[in-house]
Amino acid sequence: MIRRPYLIALAVTTLFSGSAFAQNLSPKAQYAYDTKQANTRYADDKKLCAEETSSKARMQCLRDAKGEYDQAIINAKAAQKAGTSSVAQQNKQPPHQICAECGKVLAVNVSEKAGEGGALGLIGGGVAGALLGRQVGGGRGKDLATLAGAAGGAYAGKQVEGHMKNAKTWTVTVQYETGAKADFAFDQDPGLAAGDLVRNSGNGIARR
């Protein structure tokens, strides 16, 4: 082991300042920095070895200095390899998996769907029309008025019932990640707006 009594304070200062600086370096620049530091230490160690009092001590000191230098270079290469792998791993983004059942709401349109009158409207309207027709004319004319009133009343009854059955329809247009588009109709407000992310759910869609 090489003795460095007068370089301890300098080494500690260099260690902390160098570490903070090295954290911002790329793997290649980090290796160059570590190699330069190793060369500087090796040069200082050889100066220390020259101060040894015997040739045997100087030779041992130089061997120790060379061993520490070689180890520092090995460590620098290992750090560069690990740093390169780490950066490559961080920069490697996983491919985006397309979800065929996932999409985004493009628009929500509300429309009013006209209802259709049923048998109840026809019967009710026909009875009312017949009663009114009976009050017009007499004899054969009265019978014709009754039929006309029944027919007109039935039509009016159907129209009134249909109007009462008018309902709103919410049509949601969705664009899927595959690029396809589809419309979904709801008889109640689905609570969706343009920009919402949705996915298929049964025969409809649901927020995701």
Side-chain angles (χ1 to χ4, degrees):
M1 180 62 65
I2 302 173
R3 298 184 297 273
R4 306 184 182 89
Y6 68 88
L7 293 178
I8 293 178
L10 178 61
V12 171
T13 302
T14 303
L15 175 64
F16 284 99
S17 61
S19 298
F21 171 73
Q23 288 178 355
N24 298 323
L25 298 178
S26 65
K28 184 176 181 180
Q30 179 67 57
Y31 174 73
Y33 174 80
D34 291 340
T35 301
K36 183 178 180 180
Q37 291 294 101
N39 287 327
T40 300
R41 287 195 298 270
Y42 187 35
D44 291 338
D45 288 343
K46 287 191 289 186
K47 291 179 181 179
L48 289 175
C49 292
E51 297 177 1
E52 294 290 344
T53 56
S54 65
S55 59
K56 183 178 180 180
R58 284 194 295 272
M59 291 299 296
Q60 183 61 46
C61 180
L62 290 174
R63 283 194 293 268
D64 292 342
K66 186 63 166 62
E68 290 186 11
Y69 170 76
D70 291 342
Q71 186 61 49
I73 297 299
I74 292 173
N75 293 341
K77 290 181 178 180
Q80 181 190 28
K81 183 177 180 180
T84 301
S85 299
S86 176
V87 171
Q89 188 67 25
Q90 292 175 6
N91 291 337
K92 184 179 179 181
Q93 298 295 333
H96 174 65
Q97 298 294 330
I98 295 178
C99 174
E101 297 185 347
C102 303
K104 181 171 66 174
V105 175
L106 293 182
V108 178
N109 296 310
V110 183
S111 60
E112 189 171 274
K113 181 180 179 181
E116 295 183 358
L120 183 61
L122 284 171
I123 295 172
V127 172
L131 290 175
L132 291 174
R134 293 288 294 178
Q135 300 176 12
V136 178
R140 182 64 176 169
K142 191 172 187 177
D143 292 336
L144 292 175
T146 299
L147 292 174
Y155 175 78
K158 185 177 181 180
Q159 293 299 314
V160 170
E161 184 184 6
H163 182 72
M164 292 176 63
K165 289 183 178 180
N166 283 357
K168 288 184 178 181
T169 300
W170 283 260
T171 303
V172 180
T173 302
V174 175
Q175 181 170 30
Y176 290 95
E177 291 186 3
T178 59
K181 292 182 180 179
D183 291 334
F184 295 87
F186 297 86
D187 56 6
Q188 295 181 350
D189 187 354
L192 296 172
D196 287 347
L197 299 179
V198 295
R199 68 180 304 146
N200 288 354
S201 178
N203 294 326
I205 53 175
R207 193 190 304 272
R208 62 183 172 97

